[in-house]
């Protein structure tokens, strides 16, 4: 049989198992490919839609026609921070789990649904229940120092309000002169 035909047959018999090439730089890891064990069809696509598409939809619905409350700001700020941190950690450290931990993508999908779903608002729960207390301590200790350092920073004169460098010059006289010269040449 041709090389790789068993993988093709396995993919045809069980379409919910998505195959990916395993990294070739790990000793002892097969170069043929690793299986992502998942109950979902196209698991990475479904999880990406749940992680990014659903929250964007929820955020746009929350913003439609009304101003956001403090709860909404906390919910969506924390959600996108957690999402960015998760992507960073998963890309650099947890990438092996996607291939070798069964149902990892389903667990990830459930976690992000819990964070973003309007009935649970898990991201707001994490902020108000756990993170805000630790942040307040850090904020009380370091906020004044950071703001003081920012205020001491020398601002360029061109940026200061009312600075002479920011004032533009009126070029209308020069333009009128050039137009007059061109018109006299044409005559």
């Amino acid at each position: 049989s041709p090389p790789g035909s068993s993988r093709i047959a396995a993919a045809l018999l069980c379409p919910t198992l998505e195959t990916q090439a395993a990294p070739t730089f790990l000793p002892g890891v097969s170069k043929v490919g690793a299986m992502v064990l998942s109950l979902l069809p196209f698991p990475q696509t479904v999880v990406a839609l749940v992680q990014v598409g659903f929250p964007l939809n929820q955020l746009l619905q929350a913003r439609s026609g009304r101003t956001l409350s403090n709860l909404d700001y906390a919910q969506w700020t924390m959600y996108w921070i957690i999402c960015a941190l998760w992507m960073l950690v998963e890309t650099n450290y947890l990438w092996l789990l996607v291939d070798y931990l069964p149902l990892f993508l389903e667990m990830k999908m459930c976690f992000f649904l819990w964070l973003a779903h309007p009935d649970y608002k898990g991201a707001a729960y994490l902020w108000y229940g756990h993170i805000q207390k630790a942040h307040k301590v850090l904020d009380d200790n370091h906020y004044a120092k950071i703001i003081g350092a920012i205020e001491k920073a020398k601002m360029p004169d061109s940026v200061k309000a009312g600075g002479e460098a920011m004032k533009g010059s009126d070029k209308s006289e020069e333009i009128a002169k050039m137009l007059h010269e061109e018109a006299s040449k044409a005559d």
Side-chain angles (χ1 to χ4, degrees), residues 1 4 14 20 35 48 55 64 73-74 82 86 88 100 110 119 124-125 133 166 168 185:
S1 68
C14 190
Q20 294 180 334
M35 299 285 280
S64 62
Y73 279 117
I82 291 169
W86 179 273
L88 177 78
Y100 296 104
C110 289
D119 290 343
Y125 167 76
K133 296 170 192 164
M166 289 294 286
K185 286 182 187 177

Side-chain angles (χ1 to χ4, degrees), residues 20-35 95-96 99-100:
Q20 294 180 334
T24 58
F25 57 89
L26 290 175
V29 175
S30 170
K31 293 182 182 183
V32 173
M35 299 285 280
W95 55 268
L96 198 59
D99 290 338
Y100 296 104

Side-chain angles (χ1 to χ4, degrees), residues 9-24:
L12 291 174
L13 292 174
C14 190
T16 60
L17 294 177
E18 185 175 298
T19 61
Q20 294 180 334
T24 58

Side-chain angles (χ1 to χ4, degrees), residues 13-148:
L13 292 174
C14 190
T16 60
L17 294 177
E18 185 175 298
T19 61
Q20 294 180 334
T24 58
F25 57 89
L26 290 175
V29 175
S30 170
K31 293 182 182 183
V32 173
M35 299 285 280
V36 174
L37 181 60
S38 178
L39 299 174
L40 299 170
F42 309 106
Q44 274 102 358
T45 305
V46 171
V47 171
L49 287 173
V50 167
Q51 187 175 355
V52 178
F54 177 70
L56 278 176
N57 182 35
Q58 292 296 314
L59 178 59
L60 293 175
Q61 285 180 0
R63 283 199 70 215
S64 62
R66 68 178 179 91
T67 58
L68 295 175
S69 66
N70 285 343
L71 177 66
D72 291 330
Y73 279 117
Q75 165 69 19
W76 295 114
T77 302
M78 283 307 300
Y79 179 83
W80 292 113
I81 289 171
I82 291 169
C83 187
L85 289 173
W86 179 273
M87 287 191 284
L88 177 78
V89 169
E90 184 181 37
T91 301
N92 292 311
Y93 305 108
L94 301 178
W95 55 268
L96 198 59
L97 293 178
V98 175
D99 290 338
Y100 296 104
L101 182 65
L103 305 177
F104 173 77
L105 293 173
E106 281 80 356
M107 291 184 283
K108 176 181 171 183
M109 183 182 71
C110 289
F111 174 68
F112 279 100
L113 275 174
W114 175 75
L115 285 175
H117 198 278
D119 290 343
Y120 300 109
K121 294 193 178 197
Y125 167 76
L126 289 176
W127 171 252
Y128 288 116
H130 303 287
I131 299 171
Q132 188 179 29
K133 296 170 192 164
H135 183 269
K136 178 142 179 58
V137 171
L138 293 171
D139 197 30
D140 291 342
N141 291 337
H142 302 291
Y143 182 78
K145 296 175 191 173
I146 293 170
I147 295 300

Side-chain angles (χ1 to χ4, degrees), residues 144-160:
K145 296 175 191 173
I146 293 170
I147 295 300
I150 291 172
E151 289 175 351
K152 289 180 184 176
K154 183 177 181 326
M155 188 180 299
D157 293 333
S158 62
V159 177
K160 291 181 182 176

